[in-house]
């Protein structure tokens, strides 16, 4: 008999609902919130209000597109954290209510674990190579930058982490300084295609072990621009593609250096990417190149599963469902949530 899981994601500024039948994705609806663009970043109060407006139509559409009704569901998986408290509350409350109304199981999901398990999403009739355990996952998003050793679906350890900014956060902040719209990561990616990655160089962190740091790069970029603008107020517009390409190269170099170190130290050659920044074309190219050089098997999630989505929440919920790992009605969201 098939298992139907509804996934609900509302940790930041995307309201999303998805339905899976076993590990096959049937629908994945995402309502992005444009209300934040003019503020250059996510405004938590506006995000939670928009989630409230979006959640019912988004869930309704996901069920319809999957060709089922709420009464067919076996489980409802929701993002418990980490994320913005007001945003998490909307998804959590909705999931609890629907679970009560339908009598199906309630399943809490860690958003970061879900980004990693996005690598296991499959669609009916489509071939997909999935990672084999154990594998290393470079999880890079707007809020997190981590190296994770994954032993099984729900058994994973963080072996390296950023000590300050996340990679996506650094890209977004540097983009803002250059006057680019939010979120800056994808704009930098597109603009960098026309630029020279070796045009400028910025300071690299010297952090021992497998940890990361991006605040030094951000400051170095900021000071470089400030100095150049003093001599030439048109510097940014004149060199925008080169600035984007050079900044992106610096971020990719920092990310891949520690990934290489982690692969050497653990002896693991099965490598996956996850999180919003894993959509970055230069990062994907660099990791694919390292894979060819070092004999790794590289897994890149589909673009639409890199940024926040409920499909990844549903697949994680499915594995928790199989293990009988259920939540109760007294559960509350967590802004910070360890694995
Ligand atoms: O995973 P995600 O959707 O949300 C968090 O959980 O943080 O990641 C969002 C981050 C943003 O910082 C955004 O700029 C970045 O992912 N991002 C990219 C690209 N697409 C999204 N960064 C670089 N290149 C991209 N193509
Ligand atoms: Zn995310």
């Amino acid at each position: 008999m098939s298992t139907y899981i509804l996934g609900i994601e509302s940790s930041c500024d995307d309201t999303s609902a998805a339905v899976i039948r076993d590990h096959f994705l049937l629908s994945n609806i995402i309502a992005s919130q444009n209300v934040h663009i003019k503020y250059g970043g996510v405004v938590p109060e506006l995000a939670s209000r928009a989630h409230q407006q979006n959640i019912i139509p988004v869930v309704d559409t996901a069920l319809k597109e999957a060709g089922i009704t709420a009464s067919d569901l076996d489980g409802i998986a929701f993002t418990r954290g980490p994320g913005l408290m007001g945003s998490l509350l909307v998804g959590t409350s909705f999931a609890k209510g629907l679970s009560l109304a339908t009598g199906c199981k309630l399943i809490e999901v860690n958003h970061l674990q879900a980004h990693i398990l996005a690598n296991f999403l499959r669609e009916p009739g489509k071939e997909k190579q999935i990672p084999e355990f154990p594998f290393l996952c470079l999880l890079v998003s707007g809020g997190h930058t981590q190296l994770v050793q994954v032993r099984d679906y729900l058994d994973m350890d963080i072996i390296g982490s950023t000590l300050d900014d996340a990679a996506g956060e650094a890209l977004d902040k540097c983009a803002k300084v250059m006057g680019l719209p939010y979120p800056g990561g994808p704009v930098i990616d597109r603009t960098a295609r026309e630029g020279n990655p070796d045009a400028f160089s910025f300071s690299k962190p010297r952090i021992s072990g497998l940890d990361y740091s991006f605040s030094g790069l951000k400051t170095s970029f900021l000071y470089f621009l400030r100095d150049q603008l003093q001599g030439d107020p048109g510097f940014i517009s004149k060199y925008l593609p080169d600035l984007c390409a050079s900044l992106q190269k610096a971020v990719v170099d920092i990310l891949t250096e520690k990934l290489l170190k982690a692969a050497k130290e653990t002896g693991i050659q099965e490598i996956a990417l996850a999180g919003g920044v894993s959509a970055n074309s230069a990062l994907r190219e660099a990791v694919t190149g390292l894979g060819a050089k070092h004999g790794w098997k590289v897994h890149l999630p589909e673009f639409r599963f890199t940024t926040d989505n409920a499909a990844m929440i549903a697949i994680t919920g499915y594995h928790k469902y199989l293990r009988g790992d259920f939540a109760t009605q007294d559960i509350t969201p967590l802004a910070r949530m360890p694995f």
Side-chain angles (χ1 to χ4, degrees):
M1 216 175 74
S2 295
T3 302
Y4 287 92
I5 305 286
L6 169 70
I8 295 175
E9 156 65 28
S10 73
S11 65
C12 190
D13 61 338
D14 292 306
T15 320
S16 181
V19 175
I20 60 169
R21 186 186 63 231
D22 302 328
H23 44 235
F24 289 113
L25 183 66
L26 301 182
S27 65
N28 183 37
I29 308 298
I30 304 173
S32 297
Q33 304 178 358
N34 296 328
V35 61
H36 308 286
I37 291 173
K38 66 177 176 217
Y39 300 101
V42 177
V43 183
E45 180 56 29
L46 295 179
S48 79
R49 243 186 277 167
H51 283 306
Q52 287 175 43
Q53 285 163 354
N54 294 341
I55 191 120
I56 292 175
V58 163
V59 169
D60 198 42
T61 311
L63 290 171
K64 282 201 180 105
E65 213 172 87
I68 63 164
T69 64
S71 60
D72 296 317
L73 291 171
D74 297 287
I76 299 173
F78 67 97
T79 304
R80 185 182 185 195
L84 300 171
M85 186 47 87
S87 293
L88 290 166
L89 264 170
V90 178
T92 305
S93 313
F94 188 87
K96 283 161 77 167
L98 194 58
S99 159
L100 258 186
T102 55
C104 69
K105 301 291 186 191
L106 183 64
I107 306 160
E108 58 152 317
V109 169
N110 181 308
H111 180 87
L112 300 177
Q113 241 172 7
H115 267 302
I116 295 170
L117 296 194
N119 279 289
F120 293 92
L121 282 164
R122 278 167 273 190
E123 287 172 272
K126 281 194 194 168
E127 277 292 309
K128 160 101 172 84
Q129 194 190 53
I130 56 168
E132 278 174 35
F133 299 112
F135 66 92
L136 283 180
C137 186
L138 174 61
L139 168 57
V140 264
S141 73
H144 299 269
T145 300
Q146 289 160 340
L147 275 165
V148 185
Q149 188 166 346
V150 188
R151 282 181 295 274
D152 203 349
Y153 294 104
L154 303 167
D155 180 11
M156 44 185 93
D157 276 330
I158 298 171
I159 57 172
S161 199
T162 182
L163 304 175
D164 40 57
D165 289 355
E169 187 183 1
L171 283 170
D172 293 343
K173 284 178 179 167
C174 292
K176 195 171 178 180
V177 175
M178 291 189 282
L180 301 176
Y182 178 86
V187 187
I188 288 180
D189 191 355
R190 280 196 301 277
T191 315
R193 281 176 204 151
E194 314 294 322
N196 173 9
D198 299 313
F200 309 111
S201 67
F202 307 106
S203 81
K204 297 257 172 69
R206 284 193 202 91
I207 308 281
S208 62
L210 295 174
D211 287 333
Y212 287 106
S213 166
F214 287 95
S215 69
L217 170 65
K218 187 187 66 187
T219 313
S220 150
F221 186 77
L222 207 74
Y223 287 168
F224 172 77
L225 275 190
R226 189 195 56 188
D227 294 346
Q228 296 300 322
L229 286 168
Q230 272 170 4
D232 176 5
F235 183 80
I236 293 178
S237 53
K238 220 181 275 175
Y239 295 105
L240 189 62
D242 287 348
L243 284 167
C244 290
S246 303
L247 173 68
Q248 180 173 268
K249 179 172 187 287
V251 169
V252 170
D253 284 352
I254 296 171
L255 289 172
T256 49
E257 190 190 313
K258 293 294 170 91
L259 176 62
L260 190 59
K261 190 171 158 70
K264 279 192 182 141
E265 283 182 8
T266 59
I268 296 176
Q269 299 213 308
E270 190 92 9
I271 310 287
L273 295 186
V277 183
S278 73
N280 185 267
S281 54
L283 178 62
R284 292 167 91 96
E285 229 170 77
V287 175
T288 306
L290 281 175
K293 189 170 163 196
H294 297 280
W296 300 346
K297 203 154 134 207
V298 173
H299 303 270
L300 305 174
E302 257 187 65
F303 283 108
R304 62 198 177 108
F305 302 140
T306 56
T307 45
D308 291 347
N309 66 85
M312 67 187 197
I313 306 301
I315 187 82
T316 311
Y318 172 66
H319 288 288
K320 291 190 115 178
Y321 182 92
L322 293 183
R323 284 159 186 72
D325 185 351
F326 303 126
T328 47
Q329 280 291 331
D330 55 1
I331 196 160
T332 49
L334 296 171
R336 290 171 173 272
M337 187 177 177
F339 272 11

